[in-house]
Amino acid sequence: MMAHRDRSRTGNEIAALPMRWSSNGTLHVLMVTARGSGRWVMPKGWRFDGGTPWKTAETQALDRAGVVGHVGINPIGRYSYDRIMPDGAVMTCDVEVFPMVVERLRSDWKNRRTRKRRWFEVSAAASQVNEPELAALLRTLSVKPPKRTARAWFLSWFD
């Protein structure tokens, strides 16, 4: 069955971008495989009714990737992609991305049998994703801010 674009259907998703820094200051992000295609994506999903977006991001990260950590309340970016729905329609989804500092990874999580997870240097993650807007967002994170503004830049995600 050929996919058809249904311009009347759009979706809003929330993503967590799990991150950690190596001892030399290199930023790494945790990506998971999409269940259908196996491509590398961030843990994401539909926004929960009545919930805050950062709590949704926290839940998505735990369910999709087994990540426990601290999610910022301010999004660090947005991107769009085309999602093929079960009926074959193509829906454009707008994804709001929230930063997540990883505290630990669980060995037992909801999607562990259907997804793989992997740490990437942020610039390598940008080259692994299929969505151009997501790749651009990741590339912006690979540029280190000047030392005098790095702390304020990072903390602005959480205030």
Side-chain angles (χ1 to χ4, degrees):
M1 182 170 151
M2 183 123 181
H4 62 280
R5 183 171 302 283
D6 183 348
R7 297 201 187 279
S8 67
R9 293 171 69 182
T10 59
N12 294 305
E13 293 185 330
I14 301 293
L17 182 57
M19 55 182 70
R20 69 177 185 195
W21 285 264
S22 65
S23 58
N24 70 359
T26 302
L27 178 62
H28 291 82
V29 295
L30 186 74
M31 307 296 282
V32 296
T33 53
R35 286 190 293 190
S37 66
R39 71 188 195 287
W40 291 105
V41 298
M42 287 184 284
K44 63 179 174 52
W46 304 114
R47 183 173 179 169
F48 301 138
D49 289 337
T52 61
W54 54 91
K55 288 303 269 181
T56 298
E58 181 179 52
T59 301
Q60 297 297 347
L62 180 60
D63 290 351
R64 308 286 193 270
V67 178
V68 176
H70 306 280
V71 178
I73 62 171
N74 296 311
I76 57 173
R78 292 175 169 73
Y79 71 97
S80 297
Y81 77 102
D82 289 334
R83 180 178 187 142
I84 299 175
M85 302 305 291
D87 65 1
V90 177
M91 175 190 290
T92 298
C93 289
D94 296 316
V95 183
E96 193 171 25
V97 180
F98 288 82
M100 180 180 204
V101 176
V102 175
E103 184 178 306
R104 65 186 171 91
L105 297 178
R106 293 183 57 164
S107 59
D108 182 23
W109 77 96
K110 186 175 180 179
N111 292 165
R112 73 188 174 283
R113 289 185 172 83
T114 58
R115 297 179 190 268
K116 295 177 185 170
R117 62 184 178 193
R118 181 173 158 198
W119 287 104
F120 290 92
E121 283 189 24
V122 70
S123 56
S127 67
Q128 292 293 318
V129 299
N130 290 348
E131 300 83 2
E133 293 174 18
L134 174 54
L137 171 62
L138 291 168
R139 278 192 293 278
T140 65
L141 296 174
S142 68
V143 177
K144 287 186 181 178
K147 277 191 174 187
R148 69 180 188 283
T149 60
R151 186 171 188 269
W153 171 73
F154 174 72
L155 291 176
S156 71
W157 297 341
F158 296 89
D159 62 6

